[in-house]
């Protein structure tokens, strides 16, 4: 069995990868019903929509929720870091990713250099969503590949059985601005009301 | 020669408040643990020289140790959080804090009028009763029943309680409330997460409303106060309308609720479970998630600042404006050193022993908190 991502980099822990994978799954699931081929939507439009929404929610939510998550290049060439490890996501075949998806962006190379010193030896990490022709998620995998396209690590992220979701509810509560009482008032006693019952103090 | 009798309980009160052991105090005044114990148990009376030494070591004036003292506050008049895990020493320290604060308040109330105590006594038997008590309390205090409360400390202080945050209280005790003539809420500032503070204050409000006349055994009282806090901060109808339903927990929505209501995600999850909006399995998996993400230590979307008590600050300002009494004068009236008054109020005080002691206390710009006002 090949090594798993966290055995290459402790930063790529199972829990962290699980969370990102869940977001990608949820966005795809929530976006597919919006797709309208009869209105002129093409598969390319669907792909753009899913990519854009995924990058958006990861940008807005990830850094707030996870102290190990940072976006270093939004949004078209969306690059983020898990701990110190730069990553991107794409839809592809995790066993045989396209060269364009393994292309190392400039910021990614810089992050490799910063984090690991020698960027020539480290793997390129991608979260790859494999989808069926209808666009539905089949698997989400984390892969580590060489620059030549040789996949050295592949980890299928299992789907959670209940528990976590990030996008399928209202994002803005229907609540009022809140109620604030006035500052409590401490007044000087008027001379007639002054307490003169000395209690030994 | 001292003509007034030495008040042994005052020695113990000041020592306990400062968290000093018999041994430590003995060392400070050049005597033994046994002697201090004998002073406290009235087996031996200290002479004037020893009284002066004890006073200096305890940051009080000798007069403090000679002044009559009222009744001890019994432990069962206090509501603690985390009593079972707390050491006796910690409990005694926080009660001593309450006793000294009560004396300070009695002194201040000679010249000042504080908000009248206004805690509606509501007896409860079941958790349904607790839900109703929380709503009735919101109505009583003219809070809406469908909006977030922006400051829980203001609610408590407008209702006549005095709230103090005290860094010296052991972190083993989250908060304490005393249902005295002037109710007190003493909150440890060791756990300073804003949402946690709000929940603790609402919890103590629950004790002061529900347990004035009858207090059930400790665990049940704590359960009721927790449920009160939950229902007070997150009224059932509004919460049920906003909480997302579904097979999976929607953390994006949960954190949106947190931002709007200023209640922790953990408390939101618990509220959802109590109101049966999620089942036991979802509650469990939610807690596992919270734990794994490290949210038990530090949750996202905490407010930048914690709520702050206002009444005592206003009282000291009023004392200065109306009676011309500076904090050092208030301390003198209480027969304590200004440093001890500062500890009592939970304020950072200038270190009088340091040559480069700060000259201004960053507490309230409207009052001149310069060192000369304290010493």
């Amino acid at each position: 069995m090949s090594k798993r991502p966290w055995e290459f980099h402790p930063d790529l822990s199972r829990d962290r990868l699980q969370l990102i994978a869940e977001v990608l799954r949820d966005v795809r699931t929530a976006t597919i019903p919006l797709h309208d081929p009869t209105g002129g939507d093409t598969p390319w439009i669907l792909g753009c929509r899913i990519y854009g929404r995924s990058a958006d929610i990861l940008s807005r939510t990830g850094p707030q929720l996870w102290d190990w998550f940072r976006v270093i290049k939004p949004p078209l060439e969306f690059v983020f870091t898990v701990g110190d490890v730069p990553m991107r996501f794409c839809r592809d075949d995790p066993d045989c990713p396209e060269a364009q998806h393994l292309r190392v962006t400039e910021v990614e190379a810089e992050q490799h250099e910063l984090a690991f010193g020698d960027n020539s030896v480290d793997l390129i990490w991608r979260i790859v969503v494999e989808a069926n022709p209808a666009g539905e998620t089949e698997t989400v995998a984390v892969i580590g590949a060489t620059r030549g396209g040789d996949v050295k690590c592949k980890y299928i992220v299992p789907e959670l059985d209940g528990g976590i979701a990030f996008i399928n509810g209202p994002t803005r509560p229907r609540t009022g601005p809140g109620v604030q009482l006035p500052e409590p008032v401490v007044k000087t006693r008027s001379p007639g009301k002054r307490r003169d019952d000395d209690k030994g103090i | 020669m001292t003509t007034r009798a030495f008040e042994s309980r005052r020695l113990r009160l000041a020592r306990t408040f400062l968290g000093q052991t018999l041994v430590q105090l003995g060392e400070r005044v050049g005597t033994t643990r046994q002697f201090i114990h004998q002073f406290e148990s009235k087996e031996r009376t200290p002479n004037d020289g020893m009284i002066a030494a004890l006073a200096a070591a305890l940051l009080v004036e000798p007069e403090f140790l000679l002044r009559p003292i009222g009744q001890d506050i019994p432990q069962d008049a206090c509501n603690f959080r985390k009593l079972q895990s707390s050491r006796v020493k910690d409990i005694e320290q926080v009660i001593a804090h309450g006793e000294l604060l009560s004396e300070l308040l009695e002194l201040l109330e000679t010249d000042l009028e504080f908000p009248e105590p206004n805690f509606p006594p509501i007896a409860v038997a079941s958790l349904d009763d607790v839900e109703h008590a929380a709503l009735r309390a919101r109505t009583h205090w003219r809070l809406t029943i469908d909006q977030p409360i922006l400051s829980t400390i203001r609610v408590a202080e407008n209702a006549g309680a005095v709230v103090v945050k005290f860094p010296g209280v052991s972190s083993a005790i989250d908060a304490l409330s005393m249902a005295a003539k002037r109710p007190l809420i003493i909150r440890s500032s060791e756990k300073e997460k804003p949402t946690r503070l709000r929940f603790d204050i609402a919890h103590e409000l629950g004790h002061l409303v529900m347990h004035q006349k009858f207090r059930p055994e400790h665990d049940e009282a704590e359960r009721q106060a927790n449920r009160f806090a939950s229902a007070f901060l997150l009224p059932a109808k509004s919460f049920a309308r906003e909480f997302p339903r579904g097979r999976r927990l929607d953390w994006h929505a949960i954190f949106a609720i947190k931002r709007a209501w200023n209640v922790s995600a953990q408390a939101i999850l618990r509220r959802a479970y109590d109101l049966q909006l999620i089942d036991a399995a979802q509650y469990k998996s939610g807690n596992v998630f919270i734990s794994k993400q490290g949210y038990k230590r530090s949750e996202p979307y905490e407010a930048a600042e914690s709520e702050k008590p206002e009444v005592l600050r206003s009282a000291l300002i009023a004392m200065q404006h109306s009676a011309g009494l500076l904090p050092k004068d208030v301390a003198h009236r209480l027969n304590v050193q200004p440093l001890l008054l500062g500890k009592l109020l939970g304020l950072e005080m200038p270190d009088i022993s340091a040559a480069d002691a700060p000259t201004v206390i960053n507490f309230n710009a409207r009052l001149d908190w310069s060192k000369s006002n304290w010493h």
Side-chain angles (χ1 to χ4, degrees):
Chain A
M1 196 175 86
S2 69
K3 287 204 295 186
R4 289 171 297 187
W6 50 92
E7 293 169 306
F8 285 89
H9 290 294
D11 281 347
L12 299 177
S13 69
R14 187 196 303 260
D15 290 341
R16 293 175 178 183
L17 300 176
Q18 183 83 58
L19 288 168
I20 300 168
E22 286 304 308
V23 171
L24 298 179
R25 274 198 187 97
D26 286 345
V27 172
R28 185 167 283 272
T29 305
T31 308
I32 286 173
L34 306 176
H35 185 56
D36 180 14
T38 60
D41 286 354
T42 63
W44 185 78
I45 287 174
L46 175 63
C48 288
R49 212 170 191 177
I50 291 171
Y51 185 86
R53 284 171 173 244
S54 301
D56 177 64
I57 197 152
L58 283 172
S59 300
R60 283 190 294 112
T61 309
Q64 296 278 1
L65 294 180
W66 311 320
D67 58 9
W68 43 264
F69 185 93
R70 194 162 58 91
V71 176
I72 56 174
K73 190 172 185 194
L76 287 179
E77 281 187 324
F78 188 73
V79 184
F80 55 93
T81 53
V82 175
D84 285 330
V85 182
M87 297 190 89
R88 301 184 65 194
F89 69 88
C90 57
R91 177 186 171 180
D92 207 338
D93 175 355
D95 292 314
C96 188
E98 292 177 23
Q100 60 164 328
H101 290 144
L102 294 178
R103 188 174 64 80
V104 178
T105 65
E106 200 173 322
V107 292
E108 202 177 359
E110 282 171 7
Q111 177 63 27
H112 268 273
E113 183 77 34
L114 275 174
F116 309 114
D118 181 359
N119 72 36
S120 63
V121 296
D122 216 76
L123 297 176
I124 300 156
W125 292 94
R126 297 288 180 262
I127 298 193
V128 180
V129 179
E130 194 168 23
N132 65 21
E136 294 160 342
T137 306
E138 299 255 296
T139 57
V140 179
V142 176
I143 64 166
T146 63
R147 283 155 200 257
D150 189 10
V151 176
K152 296 287 189 189
C153 170
K154 176 184 158 190
Y155 168 65
I156 304 282
V157 185
E159 189 169 3
L160 282 182
D161 183 21
I164 314 302
F166 281 89
I167 60 158
N168 61 1
T171 56
R172 197 168 297 160
R174 298 176 291 264
T175 190
V179 55
Q180 177 72 298
L181 294 184
E183 190 171 335
V185 177
V186 178
K187 293 184 292 193
T188 308
R189 281 189 192 281
S190 53
K193 290 178 74 180
R194 191 175 184 281
R195 278 193 188 176
D196 48 9
D197 51 337
D198 183 4
K199 295 196 170 108
I201 291 178
Chain B
M1 180 72 188
T2 303
T3 53
R4 294 171 68 180
F6 172 71
E7 182 53 80
S8 60
R9 282 192 296 150
R10 284 199 167 274
L11 175 61
R12 182 173 167 76
L13 176 66
R15 179 182 66 77
T16 311
F17 169 65
L18 293 174
Q20 291 185 15
T21 62
L22 293 167
V23 173
Q24 285 168 334
L25 180 57
E27 283 172 357
R28 279 169 186 249
V29 298
T31 187
T32 62
R33 173 194 174 285
Q34 286 77 10
F35 262 82
I36 302 294
H37 177 71
Q38 287 170 347
F39 295 152
E40 289 189 357
S41 57
K42 289 188 179 175
E43 289 171 41
R44 186 184 288 265
T45 303
N47 61 24
D48 287 357
M50 179 54 79
I51 288 175
L54 289 167
L58 294 171
L59 306 178
V60 297
E61 297 172 357
E63 178 67 18
F64 179 90
L65 299 173
L66 304 172
R67 191 152 46 78
I69 189 169
Q71 291 292 311
D72 282 344
I73 296 178
Q75 210 179 97
D76 60 10
C78 307
N79 298 296
F80 293 94
R81 297 197 67 189
K82 294 224 166 165
L83 183 64
Q84 285 170 333
S85 61
S86 309
R87 295 174 302 171
V88 172
K89 177 174 173 285
D90 298 328
I91 293 168
E92 287 178 350
Q93 185 183 19
V94 79
I95 289 178
H97 193 168
E99 290 183 356
L100 286 170
L101 264 180
S102 294
E103 288 198 353
L104 172 65
L105 287 168
E106 203 160 338
L107 169 72
L108 293 174
E109 289 196 70
T110 308
D111 293 294
L112 304 175
E113 279 183 62
F114 284 62
E116 276 299 307
N118 178 21
F119 289 86
I122 304 174
V124 296
S126 66
L127 289 179
D128 277 348
D129 293 344
V130 175
E131 289 279 334
H132 289 131
L135 286 184
R136 278 179 60 192
R138 281 184 76 117
T139 309
H140 182 84
W141 289 323
R142 298 178 187 281
L143 304 163
T144 64
I145 56 166
D146 60 0
Q147 287 206 49
I149 296 167
L150 297 186
S151 170
T152 55
I153 289 184
R154 274 204 179 171
V155 174
E157 294 196 326
N158 270 294
V162 168
V163 180
V164 180
K165 286 202 270 185
F166 180 39
V169 172
S170 159
S171 59
I173 296 173
D174 286 351
L176 157 91
S177 61
M178 291 182 181
K181 187 170 63 178
R182 170 70 56 195
L184 291 175
I185 298 176
I186 300 172
R187 168 59 158 69
S188 163
S189 57
E190 303 290 314
K191 297 171 179 170
E192 195 51 17
K193 275 197 304 185
T195 51
R196 175 77 180 262
L197 169 75
R198 284 166 57 79
F199 194 90
D200 284 351
I201 298 295
H203 175 106
E204 301 307 328
L205 288 174
H207 282 306
L208 293 172
V209 165
M210 298 183 296
H211 303 143
Q212 285 180 34
K213 291 183 176 163
F214 172 72
R215 196 150 61 100
E217 55 88 22
H218 177 264
D219 287 355
E220 180 60 17
E222 290 299 289
R223 254 193 303 279
Q224 289 178 349
N226 278 335
R227 185 62 174 264
F228 180 96
S230 219
F232 189 71
L233 295 173
L234 296 168
K237 271 192 183 170
S238 301
F239 183 75
R241 194 173 64 235
E242 293 181 14
F243 190 82
R245 311 297 207 283
R247 189 174 65 86
R248 304 199 294 169
L249 292 175
D250 182 343
W251 290 98
H252 203 231
I254 288 172
F255 282 113
I257 293 172
K258 171 175 180 174
R259 290 199 300 278
W261 291 84
N262 212 353
V263 174
S264 73
Q266 288 179 71
I268 289 170
L269 199 64
R270 177 69 203 198
R271 183 72 174 142
Y273 178 60
D274 285 341
L275 295 176
Q276 299 182 343
L277 304 176
I278 57 175
D279 61 24
Q282 285 175 305
Y283 180 58
K284 186 178 171 193
S285 70
N287 273 314
V288 169
F289 173 75
I290 281 172
S291 189
K292 275 190 172 178
Q293 293 303 307
Y295 293 164
K296 284 193 190 284
R297 292 187 309 279
S298 168
E299 263 193 21
Y301 301 118
E302 283 290 322
E305 279 205 349
S306 272
E307 296 177 11
K308 291 186 170 49
E310 295 169 300
V311 156
L312 275 176
R313 184 195 63 189
S314 302
L316 289 180
I317 291 168
M319 287 295 268
Q320 181 170 354
H321 287 173
S322 66
L325 292 175
L326 299 172
K328 65 179 180 186
D329 303 317
V330 174
H332 178 60
R333 279 194 172 190
L334 200 59
N335 300 132
V336 301
Q337 291 183 21
L339 198 56
L340 189 130
L341 179 63
K343 286 177 182 289
L344 199 55
L345 299 173
L347 301 178
E348 284 185 16
M349 301 289 298
D351 179 359
I352 52 172
S353 63
D356 56 350
T359 54
V360 176
I361 298 168
N362 183 17
F363 177 56
N364 188 300
R366 286 177 292 166
L367 183 64
D368 180 10
W369 293 97
S370 62
K371 189 178 168 188
S372 62
N373 286 350
W374 292 84
H375 302 291

